[in-house]
Amino acid sequence: MKKQHSPPPLRFTLILVVSILIIAHLILEKGVELAFEQPPRVEKQQIESARQLINMVQQTLSSDMAFAKLQNAEQVIGIQGAAPHVETLALLNHSGDVVLSSKHTHKMQPAHEVIMDFDANAYRESLAQQRIVIEKSASGKSINVYAPLSLS
């Protein structure tokens, strides 16, 4: 005698379908969050970290003690430039030439030649308005911060 298989009970089928729909909804929701919501949040965190780093460097370098010896300023740039997610930290003169840099090979070279995604217009705006200018790089891969340094 052959036994015929009966279809699963309706309740079991409904529970299975609802479970699959809930799982699909959660996956789609997480995908939307990653695609649309997380990048702006991450970018805001990067901007805030960059702002804090620049404020710390400005406060340290604006003291007379830091510039009494160029070695002190060089040490500050080297230490702060080694922070995670910092590609290059540089001190430029008014002409846009690198005076000090976390990458020592850049000294006394034009910033637009040695610093990736350097924006000369944003740099000049920062100097002219004496304020921090934060912008996303042209490549979209980094955030650039330009900050004037006023010596006490």
Side-chain angles (χ1 to χ4, degrees), residues 12 47 56 58 86 123 130 137 143 149:
F12 175 76
I47 289 171
M56 189 172 14
Q58 281 181 314
V86 174
Y123 175 68
Q130 287 295 299
S137 67
I143 295 171
L149 180 65

Side-chain angles (χ1 to χ4, degrees), residues 73-129:
E74 191 170 17
Q75 186 176 17
V76 169
I77 295 289
I79 291 169
Q80 298 301 332
H85 306 298
V86 174
E87 186 176 316
T88 304
L89 180 61
L91 179 67
L92 310 177
N93 61 18
H94 282 280
S95 305
D97 297 328
V98 177
V99 176
L100 296 173
S101 173
S102 56
K103 297 186 177 180
H104 301 290
T105 58
H106 292 167
K107 286 184 183 177
M108 300 316 295
Q109 295 183 35
H112 68 274
E113 291 179 9
V114 293
I115 298 176
M116 190 171 95
D117 289 327
F118 178 76
D119 185 345
N121 292 329
Y123 175 68
R124 285 192 290 274
E125 177 185 336
S126 173
L127 289 177
Q129 297 179 6

Side-chain angles (χ1 to χ4, degrees), residues 2-151:
K2 224 174 184 183
K3 192 175 182 184
Q4 285 188 340
H5 293 286
S6 62
L10 182 59
R11 182 175 181 190
F12 175 76
T13 305
L14 287 175
I15 290 173
L16 183 64
V17 168
V18 169
S19 298
I20 291 171
L21 287 174
I22 289 172
I23 291 170
H25 173 73
L26 291 173
I27 291 171
L28 286 173
E29 186 177 350
K30 191 65 175 172
V32 167
E33 180 183 337
L34 289 173
F36 297 107
E37 295 173 9
Q38 190 173 1
R41 191 175 355 167
V42 169
E43 189 174 303
K44 284 180 185 178
Q45 290 172 343
Q46 290 172 337
I47 289 171
E48 187 55 36
S49 294
R51 188 180 300 276
Q52 289 173 356
L53 174 70
I54 289 300
N55 285 337
M56 189 172 14
V57 170
Q58 281 181 314
Q59 288 174 357
T60 305
L61 290 181
S62 65
S63 71
D64 289 334
M65 294 299 288
F67 268 105
K69 291 184 177 178
L70 197 56
Q71 293 169 335
N72 294 345
E74 191 170 17
Q75 186 176 17
V76 169
I77 295 289
I79 291 169
Q80 298 301 332
H85 306 298
V86 174
E87 186 176 316
T88 304
L89 180 61
L91 179 67
L92 310 177
N93 61 18
H94 282 280
S95 305
D97 297 328
V98 177
V99 176
L100 296 173
S101 173
S102 56
K103 297 186 177 180
H104 301 290
T105 58
H106 292 167
K107 286 184 183 177
M108 300 316 295
Q109 295 183 35
H112 68 274
E113 291 179 9
V114 293
I115 298 176
M116 190 171 95
D117 289 327
F118 178 76
D119 185 345
N121 292 329
Y123 175 68
R124 285 192 290 274
E125 177 185 336
S126 173
L127 289 177
Q129 297 179 6
Q130 287 295 299
R131 67 176 182 88
I132 295 175
V133 174
I134 301 173
E135 65 173 20
K136 201 168 195 173
S137 67
S139 69
K141 294 180 181 178
S142 64
I143 295 171
N144 297 334
V145 181
Y146 304 92
L149 180 65
S150 51
L151 299 173

